[in-house]
Amino acid sequence: MADWQVVAGGVTAPKGFQAAGIAANLKPSGAPDLVLIVSESDAIAAGVFTKSQVRAACVDYCRQRLEAKPNARAILCNAGQANACTGAQGWQDGLDSAAAAAKALGISAGQVLIASTGVIGQRIRMEALQAGIPKLIEQLSPQGSAAAARAIVTTDLVAKSIALEAEIGGRPVRVGGIAKGSGMIHPNMATMLCFVTCDAAVSPPLWQDMLRRAADRSFNQITVDGDTSTNDCILALANGESRTPAITAPGPDADRLETLLSQVCIHLAKSVARDGEGATCLFEVTVTGAASDAAARQVARTIAGSSLVKSALFGRDPNWGRLAAAAGRAGVPFEQDNLRIQLGDILLMENGQPLPFDRVAASQYLQQQADHSTHAMTQQIKAGSADAAAALAQPVQVTLSLGMGAGQGTAWGCDLSYDYVKINAEYTT
Amino acid sequence: MADWQVVAGGVTAPKGFQAAGIAANLKPSGAPDLVLIVSESDAIAAGVFTKSQVRAACVDYCRQRLEAKPNARAILCNAGQANACTGAQGWQDGLDSAAAAAKALGISAGQVLIASTGVIGQRIRMEALQAGIPKLIEQLSPQGSAAAARAIVTTDLVAKSIALEAEIGGRPVRVGGIAKGSGMIHPNMATMLCFVTCDAAVSPPLWQDMLRRAADRSFNQITVDGDTSTNDCILALANGESRTPAITAPGPDADRLETLLSQVCIHLAKSVARDGEGATCLFEVTVTGAASDAAARQVARTIAGSSLVKSALFGRDPNWGRLAAAAGRAGVPFEQDNLRIQLGDILLMENGQPLPFDRVAASQYLQQQADHSTHAMTQQIKAGSADAAAALAQPVQVTLSLGMGAGQGTAWGCDLSYDYVKINAEYTT
């Protein structure tokens, strides 16, 4: 049973954080496009960044900043222009953005982390950004998370947010997060971003390690189209305002905090997968019996990312052959005679050979999960609610066992629909 | 300038080969489904097989056979049932198929290689196969390649065949090939198969090495949907009937033979990519200036396989941002400030930054290449011709330079259309 609970408030749920999101005329549409998250006190900061060789200025900036000194007071994020492939001028724009926010906040420029999302090859509209900063700071509030979550989205259908609370050292600790992303990348209107806040006190290397592992379990386990953005980043601040004892070494308290952080990341990652371009359902693949957790995750990821599996899912086709074939090409050795595949409660394959099963019932299971998920998404879009939990509650579940060891892992994806092709074929800047 | 020429005859163009393809009631549709290729004398044999952990019986059988003794007299191939995920009985069916063909040909069972394509989880219809073998042998002919090429296809729109001739040691040598495949895999109606014949005399290790390298340059450089089949295989026979001096060591003669073999494989691989499910054009990505050929190939393959790039191609959208982003995530280090991207003759990006370019002209280039290719395909389908050369003549060409070294490589793919989703979402066995 989970020893944590969901609380309201997103990134402002943890103590000592404020946030704001406003429309600053960066997006041509006039939608909200500028976000600030501020910790009232100096926070430990960790980051996980895109591994792409083609990276936005903000990614290189934050990585260098955090390598030099793992702390920060604020995260400034603009939507509309990705500031990737913008050369030396783009780099300078990044520095200027951080400096402008820092000056207005009365802190040093090095204390501001930056993130951008939007059209690749376009510089940030610096005049609009600089004009927006005073208004943004005016709007900062301990209830500002929902506005921030709405202002970082681009093609997302719903904003993505969560906060969790658990007791650590006898006192409540909270971790909150917001994220955006609708394909793993849409390079002209791009990017997966996630900002996490936490009020625990934790040592910088421990916090960075936790974030890396949490990302491996969550954002690195989702796929919409197999593409990686130039701007992907996760930034996580921990400010110690919960006044719990500092966590400086591995142990039960560190484990509890890492669980909290992982659950926040997993919820947000699943929200991104469910909001994948054109998706009609969330797809959850669990692999057990692998030689290691890493091997299990790799097989799960390969299946979740297979175009043929994703197309079958859209067609509500319980196609075990495609699941077996995707597992086989994942680059993980296993004995095919031990393979076992289950869809929901229905066993499709055992000992590497197909079983007779009720095709109609299996297809109905796929349809029913998709219907539930679509209904919940529609309700959220109507309500403008940032809580995607209902749409995540009934994923299509596939379970594979490799019969080799105790390794297990889960990956999330979505189906491949006509709308994915439509969105990406007909999209122009 | 190429020092080889295209000749008619496919796998029966090289001396001393006969082939046949018949309808033996293996496919429910009654279409041709049983193929035999026979060398009049003992031939050196090499093979390249799927790396999947889930493999058909024929794949394991051929690999073991060729490891034990690299020679063969015949290749028997059935279409309709993949004989994958069929356990011990499937293995026995494979042995029995080889034995039945061998007995009728009056050779030993070990001299017959086998291949299967079709529905995963289904055993070969052994009665139909055994009843078909005498008729198949009756049809064997030095003009039988076209019938064989037509009988190995499943969802392919056109049969795929080529033969080339060059002089080696003052005498003509020929290499011929036929292939099938329309997705890299469609696990219920599956598989990429390629059979190559050659009348040069060549030593077994040299022939196997040449085939491995030719596959790396051709079939390993195409992608339709990133999936790998349980049954993929390339089998290549060389019988020495050209009476040219035996090629037993690297040198100019070996190089000439390898070029011939590579060109046959590249032509067939491009034909498979062009015939990708739902494709409207052939997509050729050339990467230069990489640290190595392997690195260049990897970047080219990643771009050719990107769902976002493929969707943009279908939308005739000259989306340089997606090309740059796909290059960036290929896992090959390069300096983004040196990146150069060209579409046909149009320069889109230089020194890592976008250039102003004529979007309308670039989009027209994409449309024009697709129109030409579609027209040529339609003509072929009407004509029932196995020569896909015209449809391959005008690919959409993208060239990237990484500015790092002399490494270069090419990959081929196709666009991602509504029809890909339709074919794979609505397909059921």
Side-chain angles (χ1 to χ4, degrees), chain B residues 51-74:
Chain B
K51 289 172 186 153
S52 178
Q53 297 294 316
V54 178
R55 294 175 309 275
C58 52
V59 168
D60 287 338
Y61 177 83
C62 288
R63 183 158 38 196
Q64 288 177 22
R65 260 290 291 111
L66 295 179
E67 274 169 15
K69 210 172 166 208
N71 66 348
R73 281 284 303 282

Side-chain angles (χ1 to χ4, degrees), chain B residues 76-283:
Chain B
L76 175 72
C77 175
N78 71 286
Q81 297 86 43
N83 201 24
C85 301
T86 47
Q89 185 60 53
W91 178 258
Q92 188 60 48
D93 290 344
L95 295 183
D96 291 349
S97 302
K103 192 176 170 197
L105 286 166
I107 59 179
S108 79
Q111 292 286 79
V112 179
L113 300 175
I114 53 172
S116 298
T117 177
V119 183
I120 291 191
Q122 291 195 0
R123 290 176 49 199
I124 304 168
R125 294 186 184 177
M126 289 303 292
E127 279 187 29
L129 179 133
Q130 275 161 333
I133 282 178
K135 187 178 157 203
L136 188 63
I137 288 173
E138 211 179 280
Q139 294 286 320
L140 275 175
S141 129
Q143 286 81 41
S145 182
R150 276 195 298 272
I152 59 171
V153 304
T154 50
T155 57
D156 307 54
L157 295 175
V158 295
K160 295 155 186 79
S161 164
I162 193 167
L164 301 178
E165 179 182 294
E167 283 208 352
I168 296 182
R171 290 180 62 91
V173 164
R174 291 177 166 190
V175 177
I178 59 174
K180 66 138 297 200
S182 179
M184 279 303 277
I185 183 179
H186 336 207
N188 273 322
M189 197 67 174
T191 306
M192 201 292 298
L193 297 177
C194 172
F195 306 130
V196 174
T197 56
C198 171
D199 53 16
V202 54
S203 71
L206 216 54
W207 186 234
Q208 177 66 48
D209 287 352
M210 284 180 188
L211 185 65
R212 163 66 58 195
R213 285 192 296 265
D216 281 343
R217 293 184 193 111
S218 58
F219 292 105
N220 289 339
Q221 286 299 103
I222 59 171
T223 174
V224 169
D225 50 22
D227 275 287
T228 311
S229 164
T230 51
N231 290 47
D232 287 344
C233 88
I234 309 172
L235 295 171
L237 306 181
N239 67 4
E241 291 291 332
S242 64
R243 306 289 169 191
T244 43
I247 300 170
T248 56
D253 285 355
D255 289 348
R256 290 170 75 87
L257 183 60
E258 184 167 335
T259 298
L260 220 53
L261 179 62
S262 292
Q263 290 299 326
V264 164
C265 289
I266 286 171
H267 172 91
L268 294 171
K270 286 165 71 173
S271 303
V272 170
R274 175 59 188 86
D275 199 358
E277 292 173 316
T280 72
C281 64
L282 177 67
F283 179 35

Side-chain angles (χ1 to χ4, degrees), chain A residues 111-134:
Chain A
Q111 292 285 78
V112 179
L113 300 175
I114 53 172
S116 299
T117 177
V119 183
I120 290 191
Q122 291 196 0
R123 290 175 49 199
I124 303 168
R125 294 185 183 177
M126 288 302 292
E127 278 187 30
L129 180 133
Q130 276 161 332
I133 282 178

Side-chain angles (χ1 to χ4, degrees), chain A residues 206 210 247-258:
Chain A
L206 215 54
M210 284 180 190
I247 301 169
T248 56
D253 285 353
D255 289 349
R256 289 170 75 87
L257 182 62
E258 184 168 334

Side-chain angles (χ1 to χ4, degrees), chain A residues 52-53 55 87 185 188 226-228 306 308 311 315 317 319 322 328-329 332 334 336 418 422 424-427, chain B residues 52-53 55 185 188 226-228 306 308 311 315 317 319 322 328-329 332 334 336 353 418 424-427:
Chain A
S52 179
Q53 298 293 313
R55 294 175 309 274
I185 184 177
N188 272 320
D227 275 287
T228 311
S306 158
L308 285 166
S311 299
D317 173 14
N319 196 317
R322 293 187 185 175
R329 71 168 168 89
V332 168
F334 64 87
Q336 62 175 322
Y418 298 128
K422 186 180 166 92
N424 286 297
E426 298 181 5
Y427 180 84
Chain B
S52 178
Q53 297 294 316
R55 294 175 309 275
I185 183 179
N188 273 322
D227 275 287
T228 311
S306 158
L308 284 166
S311 299
D317 173 13
N319 195 318
R322 294 186 184 176
R329 71 169 168 90
V332 168
F334 64 87
Q336 62 175 323
Q353 292 182 51
Y418 298 128
N424 286 298
E426 298 180 7
Y427 179 85

